[in-house]
């Protein structure tokens, strides 16, 4: 029993010394972890600072791009309210007729159905200049209507002020701007759309509407990535959504 007790004491001593070594190793690991934690915290702060600096650079490049090359702004139209014009020509017009004209002015026939549009006839959005605009309500039917009419009409085209040319140019510039913004912001676009999609050959109605939907999807994707206020966005308002995206008031632009 004495020999067994001595053997157990020796084993306990070995375990005690081993436990001391483990404790020292544990403390060493804890000190190392604290050191790594401080380093990670410092690196995280540096990374956050770099992200903020990168965001400010992106924001500066975007604002410079949209002020020098692709300015987007709201253009007031000179269209008078039909109710005012009609009331001037007919003083006996009833109030119900005036209200019906005002209501008709706020509706647009778009893709086979009537839709409400509060901005109809009031403003339009221009890109690269006040002469290149898109309808505020997203109705681009003038383009493919012109294409269909041109198929049946022979002879040279001398209509330089045709709205179809304006729509095509505006959509072409918008596509170039969106593709450039995706590179600056480092955001992959969900739809592939080349810069020359809306210029060159005349697109059929199906191809045109399909390309417009792709462009609108890419613009909305960029707006979502930059946390643009969702209440301001509309799926059909191409240039208006783009204008909200690159606005200096967008707090998270460049994130």
């Amino acid at each position: 029993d004495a020999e067994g007790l001595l053997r157990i004491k020796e084993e306990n001593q070995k375990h005690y010394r081993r436990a001391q070594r483990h404790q020292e190793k544990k403390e060493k690991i804890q000190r190392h972890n604290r050191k790594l934690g401080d380093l990670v915290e410092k690196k995280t702060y540096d990374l956050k600072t770099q992200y903020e600096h990168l965001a400010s650079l992106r924001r500066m490049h975007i604002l410079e791009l949209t002020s020098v090359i692709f300015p987007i702004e709201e253009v007031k139209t000179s269209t008078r309210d039909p109710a005012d014009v009609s009331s001037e020509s007919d003083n006996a017009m009833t109030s119900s007729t005036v209200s019906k004209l005002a209501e008709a002015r706020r509706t647009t026939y778009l893709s086979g159905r009537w839709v409400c549009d509060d901005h109809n006839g009031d403003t339009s959005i221009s890109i690269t200049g006040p002469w290149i605009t898109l309808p505020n309500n997203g109705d681009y039917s003038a383009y493919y209507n012109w294409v269909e009419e041109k198929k049946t009409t022979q002879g040279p085209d001398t209509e330089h002020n045709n709205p179809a040319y304006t729509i095509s140019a505006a959509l072409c510039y918008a596509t170039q701007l969106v593709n450039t913004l995706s590179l600056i912001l480092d955001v992959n676009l969900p739809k592939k759309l080349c810069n020359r999609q809306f210029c060159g050959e005349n697109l059929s109605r199906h191809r045109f509407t399909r390309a417009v939907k792709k462009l609108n999807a890419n613009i909305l994707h960029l707006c979502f990535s930059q946390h643009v206020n969702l209440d301001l966005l509309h799926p059909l308002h191409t240039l208006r959504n783009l204008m909200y995206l690159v606005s200096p008031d967008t707090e998270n632009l460049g994130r």
Side-chain angles (χ1 to χ4, degrees), residues 10-145:
E10 291 177 354
E11 291 178 357
N12 287 342
Q13 289 292 333
K14 288 180 182 179
H15 291 162
Y16 178 74
R17 289 192 297 270
R18 188 177 179 184
Q20 280 187 327
R21 290 196 300 270
H22 288 172
Q23 182 65 25
E24 292 174 358
K25 192 173 182 181
K26 175 185 173 184
E27 293 175 356
K28 185 178 179 181
I29 292 175
Q30 288 176 344
R31 288 195 300 270
H32 182 67
N33 287 341
R34 284 194 296 269
K35 234 186 245 187
L36 288 179
D38 296 339
L39 182 62
V40 168
E41 186 177 353
K42 182 179 180 300
K43 293 292 185 182
T44 302
Y45 177 78
D46 293 342
L47 181 62
K48 183 179 177 182
T49 305
Q50 291 296 325
Y51 274 145
E52 293 175 354
H53 178 63
L54 179 60
S56 65
L57 285 178
R58 287 172 172 170
R59 183 185 184 89
M60 181 184 66
H61 289 320
I62 290 174
L63 295 179
E64 183 178 6
L65 177 68
T66 54
S67 62
V68 178
I69 303 178
F70 295 101
I72 301 177
E73 57 186 4
E74 196 169 9
V75 178
K76 296 289 183 180
T77 57
S78 58
T79 304
R80 299 184 65 188
D81 196 319
D84 296 337
V85 177
S86 300
S87 62
E88 291 177 1
S89 61
D90 186 5
N91 295 328
M93 178 180 295
T94 62
S95 59
S96 61
T97 307
V98 175
S99 62
K100 287 179 181 179
L101 283 173
E103 181 181 358
R105 185 171 175 265
R106 290 192 298 268
T107 57
T108 302
Y109 189 73
L110 180 59
S111 300
R113 62 190 181 92
W114 291 97
V115 296
C116 180
D117 183 17
D118 293 336
H119 299 283
N120 185 21
D122 294 337
T123 61
S124 58
I125 308 299
S126 68
I127 183 171
T128 70
W131 52 90
I132 301 180
T133 61
L134 281 182
N136 184 67
N137 56 6
D139 182 12
Y140 308 143
S141 58
Y143 177 86
Y144 45 77
N145 288 340

Side-chain angles (χ1 to χ4, degrees), residues 147-212:
V147 171
E148 293 172 359
E149 290 176 3
K150 192 175 179 182
K151 289 180 181 178
T152 59
T153 305
Q154 300 297 329
D157 185 11
T158 58
E159 299 181 11
H160 298 290
N161 294 328
N162 194 304
Y165 293 149
T166 303
I167 292 175
S168 176
L171 292 175
C172 183
Y173 287 137
T175 303
Q176 295 181 37
L177 176 58
V178 168
N179 289 337
T180 306
L181 291 176
S182 69
L183 294 176
I184 296 176
L185 296 173
D186 195 22
V187 176
N188 294 325
L189 298 176
K191 303 294 182 181
K192 184 178 180 181
L193 197 64
C194 62
N195 292 339
R196 66 178 186 275
Q197 184 68 44
F198 295 100
C199 59
E201 62 174 330
N202 298 325
L203 301 176
S204 63
R205 178 169 182 168
H206 173 71
R207 292 179 60 191
F208 179 82
T209 54
R210 188 166 178 265
V212 170

Side-chain angles (χ1 to χ4, degrees), residues 214-228:
K214 286 184 177 181
L215 177 59
N216 288 333
N218 288 341
I219 293 174
L220 288 175
H221 182 74
L222 288 177
C223 291
F224 298 154
S225 70
Q226 303 305 301
H227 292 177
V228 179

